[in-house]
Amino acid sequence: MKKTADFLLDMLYPKKCPLCHQILKEKDRLICPECSGKVRPISGPRCMKCGRPVKMEEEYCEDCRKGAHHFTEGRSIFWYGEVWRQSLVRFKYYGCREYGDFYAKAMSIFGKKYLERWKPDLIVPVPLHSRKKRMRGFNQAAYLAERLSELTGIPWEDHLVRKIRSTRSQKKLNAIQRRQNLKNAYRVTGKIPGFSVLVVDDVYTTGSTADAMAMCLLEAGAEKVYFLTICAGRA
Ligand SMILES: [Zn+2]
Ligand SMILES: [Zn+2]
Protein backbone atom coordinates (compact mmCIF):
# COMPACT_ATOMS: atom_id res chain seq x y z
CA MET A 1 0.00 0.00 0.00
CA LYS A 2 2.77 2.41 0.98
CA LYS A 3 4.61 1.57 -2.26
CA THR A 4 1.54 2.51 -4.31
CA ALA A 5 1.20 5.79 -2.44
CA ASP A 6 4.90 6.59 -2.95
CA PHE A 7 4.59 5.76 -6.63
CA LEU A 8 1.60 8.07 -7.06
CA LEU A 9 3.34 10.87 -5.19
CA ASP A 10 6.41 10.49 -7.38
CA MET A 11 4.21 10.71 -10.48
CA LEU A 12 2.46 13.83 -9.25
CA TYR A 13 5.44 15.52 -7.63
CA PRO A 14 8.63 14.16 -9.16
CA LYS A 15 11.75 15.12 -7.26
CA LYS A 16 13.92 17.71 -8.94
CA CYS A 17 17.59 18.58 -8.83
CA PRO A 18 18.02 21.57 -6.48
CA LEU A 19 20.53 23.27 -8.78
CA CYS A 20 19.28 22.77 -12.38
CA HIS A 21 15.63 21.89 -11.54
CA GLN A 22 15.52 18.92 -13.93
CA ILE A 23 13.54 15.88 -12.79
CA LEU A 24 15.78 13.37 -11.02
CA LYS A 25 15.68 10.05 -12.82
CA GLU A 26 17.08 8.04 -9.93
CA LYS A 27 14.75 8.77 -7.08
CA ASP A 28 17.17 8.17 -4.22
CA ARG A 29 19.52 10.89 -5.51
CA LEU A 30 19.41 14.38 -3.93
CA ILE A 31 21.10 16.10 -6.90
CA CYS A 32 21.61 15.17 -10.58
CA PRO A 33 24.97 13.65 -11.64
CA GLU A 34 25.91 16.71 -13.76
CA CYS A 35 25.38 19.21 -10.92
CA SER A 36 26.97 16.85 -8.42
CA GLY A 37 30.25 17.19 -10.33
CA LYS A 38 30.01 20.98 -10.28
CA VAL A 39 29.16 21.66 -6.62
CA ARG A 40 31.99 23.60 -4.98
CA PRO A 41 31.92 24.80 -1.38
CA ILE A 42 33.64 28.11 -0.47
CA SER A 43 37.38 27.60 -0.30
CA GLY A 44 40.50 29.71 0.36
CA PRO A 45 41.50 31.72 3.44
CA ARG A 46 38.54 32.63 5.64
CA CYS A 47 37.97 34.80 8.69
CA MET A 48 38.37 32.57 11.73
CA LYS A 49 35.24 34.03 13.30
CA CYS A 50 32.59 34.69 10.63
CA GLY A 51 34.02 32.60 7.79
CA ARG A 52 34.12 35.41 5.22
CA PRO A 53 37.07 35.41 2.81
CA VAL A 54 40.16 37.29 3.95
CA LYS A 55 43.61 37.95 2.49
CA MET A 56 46.13 35.17 2.92
CA GLU A 57 47.98 36.82 5.83
CA GLU A 58 44.86 37.85 7.78
CA GLU A 59 43.21 35.81 10.53
CA TYR A 60 40.09 37.95 10.91
CA CYS A 61 38.04 40.17 8.62
CA GLU A 62 37.72 43.87 9.34
CA ASP A 63 34.31 43.53 11.07
CA CYS A 64 35.52 40.77 13.35
CA ARG A 65 38.72 42.64 14.19
CA LYS A 66 36.50 45.51 15.35
CA GLY A 67 34.53 43.06 17.49
CA ALA A 68 31.34 43.70 15.53
CA HIS A 69 29.74 40.30 16.18
CA HIS A 70 28.11 38.70 19.21
CA PHE A 71 28.17 35.08 18.00
CA THR A 72 31.15 32.90 18.85
CA GLU A 73 31.93 31.65 15.35
CA GLY A 74 30.16 30.64 12.17
CA ARG A 75 30.53 29.28 8.65
CA SER A 76 28.59 29.18 5.38
CA ILE A 77 28.99 26.41 2.84
CA PHE A 78 28.38 28.01 -0.61
CA TRP A 79 28.52 31.41 -2.26
CA TYR A 80 25.09 32.94 -2.81
CA GLY A 81 25.21 33.30 -6.60
CA GLU A 82 22.36 33.21 -9.11
CA VAL A 83 22.10 29.38 -9.10
CA TRP A 84 21.70 29.37 -5.34
CA ARG A 85 19.31 32.33 -5.33
CA GLN A 86 16.97 30.48 -7.68
CA SER A 87 17.33 27.25 -5.76
CA LEU A 88 16.40 28.88 -2.45
CA VAL A 89 13.44 30.73 -4.00
CA ARG A 90 11.99 27.40 -5.18
CA PHE A 91 12.68 25.81 -1.81
CA LYS A 92 11.09 28.63 0.18
CA TYR A 93 8.21 29.76 -1.98
CA TYR A 94 7.44 27.13 -4.65
CA GLY A 95 7.11 23.92 -2.71
CA CYS A 96 10.45 22.28 -3.57
CA ARG A 97 10.93 21.12 0.03
CA GLU A 98 13.07 18.17 -1.05
CA TYR A 99 15.80 20.69 -1.90
CA GLY A 100 16.23 21.07 1.85
CA ASP A 101 17.35 17.44 2.09
CA PHE A 102 20.24 18.23 -0.23
CA TYR A 103 21.11 21.47 1.61
CA ALA A 104 21.20 19.71 4.99
CA LYS A 105 23.30 16.89 3.59
CA ALA A 106 25.78 19.41 2.14
CA MET A 107 25.88 21.24 5.49
CA SER A 108 26.61 17.97 7.30
CA ILE A 109 29.38 16.96 4.88
CA PHE A 110 31.11 20.28 4.18
CA GLY A 111 30.45 21.56 7.72
CA LYS A 112 31.60 18.38 9.44
CA LYS A 113 34.98 19.71 10.56
CA TYR A 114 33.34 22.75 12.18
CA LEU A 115 30.63 20.73 13.90
CA GLU A 116 33.27 18.38 15.29
CA ARG A 117 35.23 21.31 16.69
CA TRP A 118 32.25 23.28 18.02
CA LYS A 119 30.43 20.26 19.49
CA PRO A 120 27.06 22.02 19.82
CA ASP A 121 24.57 20.60 22.35
CA LEU A 122 21.59 21.87 20.42
CA ILE A 123 20.58 23.00 16.93
CA VAL A 124 18.20 25.96 16.81
CA PRO A 125 16.63 27.35 13.62
CA VAL A 126 16.14 31.09 13.11
CA PRO A 127 12.39 31.39 13.77
CA LEU A 128 9.83 33.08 11.54
CA HIS A 129 7.09 35.26 12.93
CA SER A 130 3.88 33.18 13.23
CA ARG A 131 2.11 35.25 10.57
CA LYS A 132 4.92 34.79 8.07
CA LYS A 133 5.10 31.08 8.84
CA ARG A 134 1.37 30.74 8.14
CA MET A 135 1.77 32.52 4.80
CA ARG A 136 4.80 30.51 3.74
CA GLY A 137 3.50 27.23 5.13
CA PHE A 138 6.78 26.28 6.78
CA ASN A 139 9.95 27.66 8.28
CA GLN A 140 12.83 26.87 5.92
CA ALA A 141 15.41 27.14 8.72
CA ALA A 142 13.46 24.65 10.87
CA TYR A 143 13.34 22.23 7.96
CA LEU A 144 17.14 22.43 7.70
CA ALA A 145 17.61 22.14 11.47
CA GLU A 146 15.48 19.00 11.62
CA ARG A 147 17.31 17.32 8.73
CA LEU A 148 20.72 18.34 10.07
CA SER A 149 19.73 16.91 13.46
CA GLU A 150 18.81 13.58 11.81
CA LEU A 151 22.14 13.49 9.96
CA THR A 152 24.37 14.46 12.90
CA GLY A 153 22.50 13.11 15.93
CA ILE A 154 22.63 16.57 17.57
CA PRO A 155 19.20 17.36 19.06
CA TRP A 156 17.23 20.29 17.68
CA GLU A 157 14.68 22.52 19.34
CA ASP A 158 12.06 24.31 17.28
CA HIS A 159 10.38 26.38 20.00
CA LEU A 160 13.28 27.60 22.12
CA VAL A 161 13.49 30.92 20.28
CA ARG A 162 10.41 32.80 19.11
CA LYS A 163 10.13 35.73 16.77
CA ILE A 164 7.94 38.03 18.82
CA ARG A 165 7.88 41.00 16.50
CA SER A 166 7.15 41.03 12.79
CA THR A 167 9.98 42.85 11.01
CA ARG A 168 10.30 44.25 7.51
CA SER A 169 12.37 42.46 4.90
CA GLN A 170 16.11 42.89 5.45
CA LYS A 171 16.86 42.77 1.72
CA LYS A 172 17.09 46.50 1.01
CA LEU A 173 18.53 47.54 4.39
CA ASN A 174 22.18 48.24 5.19
CA ALA A 175 24.04 46.64 8.11
CA ILE A 176 23.05 49.31 10.66
CA GLN A 177 19.41 49.34 9.58
CA ARG A 178 19.31 45.53 9.71
CA ARG A 179 20.54 45.56 13.27
CA GLN A 180 17.95 48.15 14.26
CA ASN A 181 15.22 46.24 12.44
CA LEU A 182 15.90 43.05 14.44
CA LYS A 183 16.28 44.72 17.85
CA ASN A 184 14.22 42.79 20.43
CA ALA A 185 12.65 40.71 17.65
CA TYR A 186 13.57 37.33 19.18
CA ARG A 187 12.82 35.87 22.59
CA VAL A 188 14.22 32.72 24.20
CA THR A 189 11.49 30.80 26.01
CA GLY A 190 13.68 28.76 28.39
CA LYS A 191 16.98 28.75 30.24
CA ILE A 192 20.00 27.08 28.63
CA PRO A 193 22.82 27.42 31.17
CA GLY A 194 26.24 26.57 29.74
CA PHE A 195 24.82 25.35 26.44
CA SER A 196 26.68 25.45 23.18
CA VAL A 197 24.08 26.31 20.53
CA LEU A 198 24.22 26.04 16.75
CA VAL A 199 21.96 28.49 14.91
CA VAL A 200 20.90 27.32 11.45
CA ASP A 201 19.65 29.53 8.61
CA ASP A 202 19.69 29.64 4.81
CA VAL A 203 21.77 32.75 4.03
CA TYR A 204 24.33 34.78 6.02
CA THR A 205 24.71 38.36 4.78
CA THR A 206 25.78 41.00 7.30
CA GLY A 207 25.45 38.74 10.34
CA SER A 208 22.67 40.84 11.90
CA THR A 209 20.33 37.83 12.26
CA ALA A 210 23.08 35.61 13.71
CA ASP A 211 23.95 38.41 16.13
CA ALA A 212 20.36 39.05 17.20
CA MET A 213 19.94 35.31 17.84
CA ALA A 214 23.28 35.12 19.67
CA MET A 215 22.43 38.06 21.94
CA CYS A 216 19.22 36.52 23.23
CA LEU A 217 20.69 32.98 23.49
CA LEU A 218 23.68 34.26 25.48
CA GLU A 219 21.32 36.20 27.72
CA ALA A 220 19.39 32.97 28.38
CA GLY A 221 22.61 31.36 29.61
CA ALA A 222 24.21 29.87 26.50
CA GLU A 223 27.98 29.80 26.74
CA LYS A 224 28.67 29.67 23.02
CA VAL A 225 26.57 30.45 19.95
CA TYR A 226 27.69 29.24 16.53
CA PHE A 227 25.95 29.52 13.18
CA LEU A 228 25.91 27.43 10.04
CA THR A 229 24.19 28.59 6.85
CA ILE A 230 23.92 27.10 3.37
CA CYS A 231 25.09 30.28 1.66
CA ALA A 232 27.03 33.45 2.32
CA GLY A 233 25.86 36.51 0.40
CA ARG A 234 27.55 39.81 -0.23
CA ALA A 235 27.19 42.18 2.73
ZN1 LIG B 1 21.19 19.27 -11.69
ZN1 LIG C 1 34.87 37.95 10.18
Side-chain angles (χ1 to χ4, degrees), residues 47 50 61 64:
C47 170
C50 72
C61 72
C64 291

Side-chain angles (χ1 to χ4, degrees), residues 17-108:
C17 170
L19 298 181
C20 69
H21 317 295
Q22 305 290 322
I23 290 169
L24 291 170
K25 291 186 193 82
E26 297 159 68
K27 63 181 233 143
D28 48 357
R29 287 196 74 106
L30 295 176
I31 175 173
C32 80
E34 292 80 57
C35 290
S36 170
K38 285 189 275 185
V39 165
R40 293 278 178 278
I42 300 174
S43 61
R46 301 172 79 171
C47 170
M48 287 171 68
K49 190 174 174 84
C50 72
R52 292 197 153 274
V54 289
K55 294 193 198 92
M56 199 55 108
E57 66 278 11
E58 289 174 343
E59 287 192 328
Y60 296 98
C61 72
E62 205 185 323
D63 278 359
C64 291
R65 275 203 301 273
K66 282 192 272 183
H69 294 302
H70 297 276
F71 54 76
T72 311
E73 212 182 302
R75 293 291 184 274
S76 311
I77 308 297
F78 302 104
W79 276 121
Y80 188 56
E82 186 53 26
V83 167
W84 277 99
R85 196 191 63 77
Q86 285 187 21
S87 180
L88 287 167
V89 163
R90 288 178 191 236
F91 171 56
K92 278 156 81 167
Y93 307 109
Y94 295 94
C96 297
R97 303 248 176 123
E98 76 271 19
Y99 288 12
D101 302 349
F102 166 68
Y103 304 154
K105 186 92 190 199
M107 287 164 103
S108 75

Side-chain angles (χ1 to χ4, degrees), residues 144-226:
L144 294 173
E146 185 175 12
R147 290 290 173 281
L148 191 61
S149 170
E150 285 166 7
L151 290 163
T152 59
I154 304 162
W156 79 292
E157 180 53 71
D158 195 14
H159 303 291
L160 181 67
V161 187
R162 286 182 50 212
K163 181 117 186 252
I164 50 170
R165 198 160 58 73
S166 170
T167 50
R168 57 192 178 118
S169 165
Q170 300 266 86
K171 276 183 197 131
K172 296 208 168 92
L173 306 180
N174 67 27
I176 295 160
Q177 291 167 325
R178 284 177 184 226
R179 234 157 255 278
Q180 200 59 37
N181 191 33
L182 288 179
K183 210 172 174 188
N184 304 322
Y186 300 109
R187 181 185 289 155
V188 182
T189 58
K191 288 277 172 249
I192 39 168
F195 271 59
S196 172
V197 181
L198 178 74
V199 174
V200 163
D201 204 2
D202 49 358
V203 185
Y204 176 96
T205 313
T206 62
S208 54
T209 306
D211 280 327
M213 288 288 289
M215 273 195 273
C216 67
L217 287 162
L218 292 166
E219 218 167 88
E223 197 183 311
K224 296 196 158 114
V225 179
Y226 300 99

